[in-house]
Amino acid sequence: MAVCIAVIAKENYPLYIRSVPTQGELKFHYTVHTSLDVVEEKISGVGKALADQRELYLGLLYPTEDYKVYGYVTNSKVKFVIVVDSSNTSLRDNEIRSMFRKLHNSFTDVMCNPFYNPGDPIQSKAFDSIVSTMMVQAF
Amino acid sequence: MESLTLSDVEQKYYSELFLFCDVDNTKKVASNGKVLDLFRAAQLSNEVVHQITELCGATRLGHFGRSQFYIALKLIALAQSGLPLRVESLNNVRDLPLPRFVMGKNEQEMRHAVMFADTENQGPYLPRPPGRVQAKKVSAHEMIQPCVPTVDPQPDTTSPVVSPHQSPPTSPHAWRKHKRQASGGNVDRQPSVPGVVWPPFREAQPGPVTGDGLWSAHSPPPVQESWVSFTDTPPSCTLPMHPPSAQLQQENSNGGLLLLTQPESTTVRTVPSSMTTNEIQRQTSGYDDPWKITDEQRQYYINQFKTIQADLTGFIPGSAAKEFFTKSKLPILELSHIWELSDFDKDGALTLDEFCAAFHLVVARKNGYDLPEKLPESLMPKLIDLDDSAGVPEPDPEVGFSASPVEVTPNKSPSMPSLNQNWPELNQSNEQWETFSERSSSSQTLTQFDSNIAPADPDTAIVHPVPIRMTPSKIHMQEMELKRTGSDHTHPTSPLMAKPPELSEETKLAAAIKFPGTTVGDGYSSSDSFTSDQEPISSAVNRQRSHSGTSPEGLKVVAPPPPPPRIITSHSRSSSLDMNRNFAAVPAGPQQPGVVAFPPAVPPRPLPTQTSVPHGHRSVEGDGLPSHPSTSPQQMPEQPNFADFSQFQVFAVDQPADDGEKPSDSGQAERSAETTGTMRTAKNEVQAEERNANSVNSAKVSTPLAPPPKPVRRRLKSEDELRPDVEDLPQKSTVIATVLATQPSIPRSIGKDKKAIQASIRRNKETNTVLARLNSELQQQLKDLLEERISLEVQLEQLRPFSHL
């Protein structure tokens, strides 16, 4: 269960960011922002030759004492960032991958909507519901 | 002025009118121009209008505030009913009919709902817009005046005034409330009134509806809302309620107009309008689903679809749809949501059904209905074929559209979601079945097969084929024979062998073994030349199987046909032997306490399986029962047949497949020993394994399920605990050995009748089943014990440092 999920556009501005409100969203925004650097580093490090083979799932970007940040990049350089609580040890890599996969799928659905202009903030209810299922249930 | 008391109906009506006149959207002041227009529309003489204006104080104020407006309206009503205009009468007159206004032709869509709150109010009702129904009529009076021209095409789309009203027809709600009366009545009642057009009354929330406002450039749609409230009048209204559909349809036409914003819209409109009346008559009154699309609506939608995409079975690409729906002037966010709802298959294009659903949602939204969170069932595209893209529409929409498609849709839609949901499940189950059958059929396959099957619930009716090795090594055969008491596996080796994947010695039992393989067996049979042989055998097996439940050995194994023996292609008898030895050796070495070399060690199935020829079963990759050098090699290979275990061979449970043949009852203890042995071997030293193997070999007797697990459990303890177990093992093994010894060698008597074979088959099956179950249990225990061990070790580690201090 994530505490924060963010979708960052290619130009590195957020298309969608949502976090569990209990802990101060600003902190998560900051975390996501800093994680972008790590993402850039990872995707640029692969090199042009391997660009095709670059895997979309980036894995753990960096851990802090409170939480861990995972990243995922699409082929169009749209980044998904998931922040999970460190205390939540039961989350396995596979689960994170599946979360990203779901995110990617619903993001694709949003993109397919002709009324959505790429670059607009994502306001789709379907997307929201998918994200809700993945977020820690706020109490 | 004096305080004005208005009835609810009047209140609503007036507020709607006020909003209508509130061109500037100030909500406070009605523009003079509009108000005057309105008053004139009341068909009162100018003088009267003047008088009214004065009376209400507007002249004083110079503008029409809300209260002035209301007063004026009331006065108009008074005037219309022929009462003298008196301020005092404002409050005195009861049951004043609502003021009636006749509007000039407006955009066609003006509809108006005439509704009266009071039943007794026979007052004038606003003329109905052409064909638009809605008139909720007071029951007593059919006053609806349908206005005019239902078919009156109002060509001037540009008509200025009340355009906004054209907005979508009353919400279905309204309709719902008022049961439609015989539609016929409605039609009749539609006197042609020139130009009506009041926006239909909608039931919708009285508050202004923002959504609808988009339609017209003029006054806000909210008016409609308020009008609607009017319609809340008691359901007793006999107004032929236009079925919501009709309204919507009108809406559609409106929508069409707006959307198209082209002259042709008029034509479009007319079409629906004309249909409306018919529709009214036709529509059922009992229809409560607000999302249902009526025939006219559907027809309208289809026409619209055609304008974009001529082929009704084709798709509308997203961009075209976007343009189309953008014309409806709904906010992009809402359109986006509508798209999400209606694009059922998420392909970025709209099929006819999807388009209709989207259009319907647009219309509804314009009418003020909030968009649902999920697509209503009646709007779900009919999936004619689940495999097809959603909503493949009927090619011929025009034709049987009436009712059928609509009805079909709802029928399907409710089922659709369930179908959709079931689909994956079905698929899964299908897959499972498929895999299962695949497993069965692919007898040649593979060790993996065994592992897969291992967990299979032996109780399931699905019997995975007992792979019979078609190429049974002669050795195997011989071994089997040796071991066999007498099941006539005479030729068993061949046909039988062919089948079970487990090269297990079981082949001997072959026939028996292959039970599960009955069907499978056939499959296998095809695998090799042994086909012919196998068939009878399989049939025998079948028969066996049926008897399995009543196996004489008293195997308590549950009757369900044991899973087909796994094919251990890699392990021919000889190889299995090797493997056994290998594995035996291995565990001896590493002997990692908690580590169970899973692949190698297959806990030997309890004896029962052995007895009943489990040989065929679980394939043996296991031949794991390897390490059983002591036991006759022949026996060993058999055990692996128990397949499941064979994987874990270490246990070297040579499932005495052969033994299985013999109804050795003695085996029970041994069997348990074997199983335990198998379990243990994983953890234990080789010896145990060996012993186990031995025991297993000997076991073959009915499987006492209980005993096996127990010892196993014990075995699965930590190493320390194991030691004592190990000791037990030898004891057991000895016992087993004795038993084994006692077991008569498998008579090679080919002459043995099929009966024996069948019996052995049965036994083996049972054994197999039991062993399979045992296996899973044991494995579970093993895992648990491993965990315990690990935790204990951790504790130990923690304690150690202290001790060292």
Side-chain angles (χ1 to χ4, degrees):
Chain A
M1 288 293 143
V3 292
C4 173
I5 291 180
V7 178
I8 315 290
K10 177 177 176 181
E11 296 81 8
N12 288 337
Y13 63 87
L15 293 176
Y16 182 91
I17 179 163
R18 191 155 130 206
S19 47
V20 169
T22 58
Q23 300 174 26
E25 309 192 28
L26 193 59
K27 180 180 82 170
F28 290 124
H29 288 222
Y30 175 70
T31 306
V32 170
H33 191 263
T34 54
S35 67
L36 287 179
D37 281 337
V38 185
V39 172
E40 289 287 340
E41 178 192 325
K42 283 195 187 255
I43 61 179
S44 66
V46 174
K48 292 196 179 156
L50 301 176
D52 300 335
Q53 301 151 22
R54 177 166 51 80
E55 196 190 288
L56 304 181
Y57 175 69
L58 302 176
L60 180 67
L61 296 178
Y62 73 99
T64 68
E65 60 186 15
D66 291 333
Y67 45 78
K68 304 191 188 103
V69 183
Y70 293 87
Y72 180 100
V73 172
T74 68
N75 284 324
S76 54
K77 299 282 196 307
V78 173
K79 304 150 187 96
F80 299 115
V81 177
I82 290 182
V83 181
V84 301
D85 213 346
S86 280
S87 58
N88 192 352
T89 52
S90 61
L91 268 184
R92 292 199 307 263
D93 196 57
N94 275 341
E95 294 176 15
I96 305 281
R97 279 181 194 266
S98 73
M99 283 164 73
F100 276 123
R101 208 174 308 124
K102 277 197 284 187
L103 265 181
H104 197 171
N105 285 339
S106 65
F107 178 73
T108 310
D109 289 340
V110 167
M111 276 290 168
C112 281
N113 190 330
F115 297 101
Y116 171 77
N117 295 318
D120 288 350
I122 295 175
Q123 285 160 319
S124 150
K125 293 191 187 144
F127 191 81
D128 281 344
S129 66
I130 297 275
V131 170
S132 303
T133 61
M134 295 198 287
M135 304 266 298
V136 175
Q137 301 312 316
F139 356 105
Chain B
M1 303 213 65
E2 331 33 44
S3 59
L4 188 61
T5 54
L6 297 174
S7 68
D8 283 340
V9 171
E10 287 175 325
Q11 174 75 24
K12 290 175 196 159
Y13 186 42
Y14 292 174
S15 62
E16 283 176 14
L17 283 174
F18 184 78
L19 287 167
F20 172 61
C21 292
D22 189 2
V23 171
D24 298 330
N25 218 1
T26 60
K27 301 215 181 1
K28 291 222 169 96
V29 176
S31 75
N32 275 5
K34 282 211 89 90
V35 171
L36 290 175
D37 283 342
L38 192 66
F39 291 172
R40 267 181 237 116
Q43 289 170 335
L44 299 170
S45 66
N46 277 352
E47 213 178 55
V48 177
V49 170
H50 243 320
Q51 201 179 358
I52 291 174
T53 328
E54 278 180 28
L55 280 175
C56 72
T59 335
R60 239 187 316 122
L61 294 175
H63 64 266
F64 278 95
R66 194 178 274 269
S67 56
Q68 281 79 40
F69 188 75
Y70 288 3
I71 293 168
L73 288 176
K74 197 118 200 223
L75 289 172
I76 289 173
L78 276 175
Q80 284 177 343
S81 39
L83 301 171
L85 293 181
R86 294 280 179 275
V87 173
E88 302 75 23
S89 55
L90 281 178
N91 288 333
N92 297 341
V93 177
R94 296 279 162 239
D95 299 339
L96 189 66
L98 293 172
R100 182 166 37 149
F101 300 89
V102 176
M103 308 275 305
K105 280 193 188 170
N106 277 348
E107 291 140 33
Q108 351 167 45
E109 321 305 344
M110 292 303 261
R111 328 168 184 213
H112 69 131
V114 179
M115 309 290 140
F116 283 100
D118 338 313
T119 44
E120 6 350 295
N121 204 347
Q122 310 231 353
Y125 19 85
L126 293 184
R128 252 213 280 176
R132 305 278 164 94
V133 190
Q134 179 128 44
K136 288 189 178 188
K137 199 170 146 244
V138 175
S139 48
H141 334 280
E142 319 295 30
M143 314 227 185
I144 309 176
Q145 288 182 354
C147 13
V148 169
T150 28
V151 199
D152 191 53
Q154 307 200 344
D156 38 359
T157 47
T158 56
S159 74
V161 191
V162 217
S163 46
H165 297 290
Q166 356 176 304
S167 270
T170 47
S171 55
H173 269 314
W175 289 113
R176 234 178 306 148
K177 268 195 179 186
H178 310 247
K179 284 308 189 163
R180 225 170 26 120
Q181 307 226 342
S183 49
N186 195 13
V187 179
D188 298 343
R189 290 202 210 122
Q190 301 190 353
S192 38
V193 173
V196 179
V197 277
W198 260 145
F201 279 93
R202 274 197 311 142
E203 254 192 23
Q205 322 71 32
V209 175
T210 51
D212 299 344
L214 306 180
W215 285 65
S216 60
H218 309 279
S219 33
V223 180
Q224 295 166 10
E225 305 283 355
S226 41
W227 295 76
V228 173
S229 56
F230 220 149
T231 59
D232 282 340
T233 58
S236 56
C237 287
T238 51
L239 259 194
M241 278 291 283
H242 197 21
S245 53
Q247 289 196 0
L248 282 175
Q249 193 241 340
Q250 292 179 0
E251 247 185 44
N252 297 339
S253 48
N254 283 338
L257 284 177
L258 289 182
L259 288 182
L260 300 181
T261 49
Q262 291 154 22
E264 68 187 7
S265 58
T266 53
T267 49
V268 171
R269 194 172 62 82
T270 53
V271 168
S273 329
S274 50
M275 297 186 67
T276 308
T277 41
N278 296 335
E279 205 38 45
I280 294 171
Q281 299 162 16
R282 256 182 291 145
Q283 288 302 334
T284 61
S285 54
Y287 138 103
D288 284 332
D289 182 0
W291 298 110
K292 206 161 175 184
I293 302 179
T294 62
D295 296 346
E296 291 124 18
Q297 289 174 330
R298 185 165 280 273
Q299 193 54 47
Y300 181 69
Y301 299 151
I302 291 167
N303 293 338
Q304 292 299 310
F305 186 93
K306 282 192 204 148
T307 63
I308 306 176
Q309 158 76 283
D311 177 16
L312 290 170
T313 60
F315 294 86
I316 292 186
S319 48
K322 175 179 178 176
E323 288 173 32
F324 184 81
F325 286 113
T326 309
K327 293 185 206 157
S328 72
K329 300 205 182 59
L330 283 178
I332 295 288
L333 186 57
E334 295 189 10
L335 288 172
S336 174
H337 189 220
I338 288 174
W339 175 275
E340 269 177 11
L341 290 176
S342 56
D343 188 3
F344 201 66
D345 48 6
K346 302 267 178 274
D347 58 358
L350 296 180
T351 64
L352 180 62
D353 275 347
E354 291 173 342
F355 177 82
C356 290
F359 208 141
H360 199 67
L361 287 170
V362 168
V363 161
R365 186 73 189 108
K366 296 216 119 245
N367 270 335
Y369 277 96
D370 288 330
L371 293 177
E373 288 302 319
K374 286 177 33 171
L375 192 64
E377 284 184 355
S378 53
L379 291 181
M380 281 201 187
K382 304 177 297 228
L383 298 187
I384 293 173
D385 184 346
L386 289 174
D387 295 335
D388 289 348
S389 61
V392 173
E394 296 146 352
D396 248 2
E398 284 105 5
V399 182
F401 241 115
S402 55
S404 52
V406 176
E407 278 145 17
V408 171
T409 313
N411 291 342
K412 276 207 167 158
S413 42
S415 58
M416 271 328 299
S418 55
L419 274 174
N420 288 337
Q421 289 145 17
N422 292 339
W423 210 230
E425 295 150 23
L426 283 177
N427 286 339
Q428 288 165 11
S429 55
N430 288 341
E431 286 166 9
Q432 291 162 4
W433 282 87
E434 285 166 14
T435 40
F436 215 72
S437 54
E438 282 168 7
R439 275 192 243 156
S440 357
S441 49
S442 57
S443 49
Q444 285 75 17
T445 5
L446 350 158
T447 41
Q448 297 157 0
F449 185 63
D450 293 344
S451 53
N452 291 341
I453 296 190
D457 178 7
D459 293 333
T460 60
I462 299 170
V463 179
H464 58 130
V466 174
I468 299 178
R469 221 165 21 136
M470 293 305 295
T471 57
S473 31
K474 293 277 175 134
I475 306 171
H476 184 86
M477 298 298 298
Q478 288 164 8
E479 291 164 357
M480 300 246 318
E481 289 181 350
L482 286 175
K483 287 197 204 163
R484 261 337 127 86
T485 42
S487 40
D488 7 281
H489 309 296
T490 51
H491 27 272
T493 54
S494 48
L496 294 180
M497 300 302 261
K499 291 206 185 149
E502 319 168 45
L503 315 177
S504 44
E505 304 61 31
E506 305 185 24
T507 52
K508 282 208 222 154
L509 306 182
I513 313 170
K514 313 331 174 229
F515 2 97
T518 36
T519 34
V520 181
D522 293 335
Y524 297 133
S525 53
S526 59
S527 62
D528 276 0
S529 54
F530 297 102
T531 316
S532 54
D533 292 337
Q534 287 178 352
E535 293 197 303
I537 293 174
S538 29
S539 57
V541 172
N542 287 333
R543 265 174 278 130
Q544 288 284 341
R545 211 167 329 170
S546 58
H547 300 300
S548 61
T550 60
S551 151
E553 279 87 0
L555 289 180
K556 321 332 165 249
V557 182
V558 177
R566 304 239 203 102
I567 303 174
I568 306 177
T569 52
S570 57
H571 306 208
S572 64
R573 183 155 284 243
S574 49
S575 60
S576 65
L577 286 177
D578 295 338
M579 297 239 350
N580 287 344
R581 284 194 222 105
N582 291 340
F583 282 110
V586 168
Q591 288 305 332
Q592 300 143 13
V595 176
V596 176
F598 265 120
V602 173
R605 279 286 184 178
L607 302 181
T609 53
Q610 293 174 356
T611 48
S612 45
V613 180
H615 317 305
H617 298 317
R618 305 305 170 85
S619 58
V620 205
E621 345 188 347
D623 284 60
L625 309 176
S627 39
H628 208 17
S630 55
T631 53
S632 60
Q634 305 140 10
Q635 291 181 346
M636 295 211 345
E638 289 181 357
Q639 294 184 353
N641 291 341
F642 290 92
D644 314 293
F645 303 115
S646 50
Q647 296 180 7
F648 310 96
Q649 50 124 242
V650 177
F651 295 80
V653 176
D654 309 340
Q655 315 283 334
D658 313 309
D659 298 344
E661 282 290 347
K662 323 174 218 174
S664 45
D665 300 322
S666 55
Q668 297 220 1
E670 289 125 51
R671 196 166 305 174
S672 49
E674 287 177 13
T675 43
T676 53
T678 48
M679 294 307 296
R680 282 178 268 164
T681 42
K683 298 175 158 194
N684 298 339
E685 293 77 24
V686 185
Q687 324 171 339
E689 294 162 13
E690 293 180 354
R691 280 186 228 111
N692 293 338
N694 289 330
S695 56
V696 170
N697 285 336
S698 57
K700 292 270 186 153
V701 184
S702 56
T703 3
L705 286 178
K710 285 182 206 159
V712 174
R713 217 169 280 123
R714 267 185 292 119
R715 291 309 163 178
L716 295 179
K717 289 175 192 161
S718 59
E719 310 170 37
D720 301 338
E721 300 171 45
L722 281 176
R723 290 194 208 109
D725 293 342
V726 173
E727 289 156 24
D728 294 344
L729 265 180
Q731 296 164 9
K732 289 211 174 167
S733 53
T734 51
V735 174
I736 291 170
T738 50
V739 173
L740 279 173
T742 56
Q743 289 178 356
S745 61
I746 298 171
R748 233 161 274 127
S749 50
I750 294 178
K752 247 335 177 12
D753 344 301
K754 300 214 171 154
K755 272 194 200 166
I757 296 178
Q758 293 169 4
S760 58
I761 289 175
R762 236 180 294 127
R763 284 193 300 273
N764 289 336
K765 282 189 208 168
E766 292 164 10
T767 311
N768 188 31
T769 322
V770 171
L771 286 177
R773 247 186 280 129
L774 241 184
N775 180 36
S776 43
E777 290 169 14
L778 291 175
Q779 287 174 27
Q780 185 55 45
Q781 291 176 17
L782 180 62
K783 286 180 198 158
D784 295 340
L785 285 173
L786 285 174
E787 288 179 16
E788 286 180 31
R789 163 181 257 139
I790 291 171
S791 63
L792 285 173
E793 286 172 0
V794 167
Q795 291 177 20
L796 186 59
E797 285 299 327
Q798 292 172 356
L799 293 173
R800 240 184 238 147
F802 297 101
S803 63
H804 286 190
L805 293 178

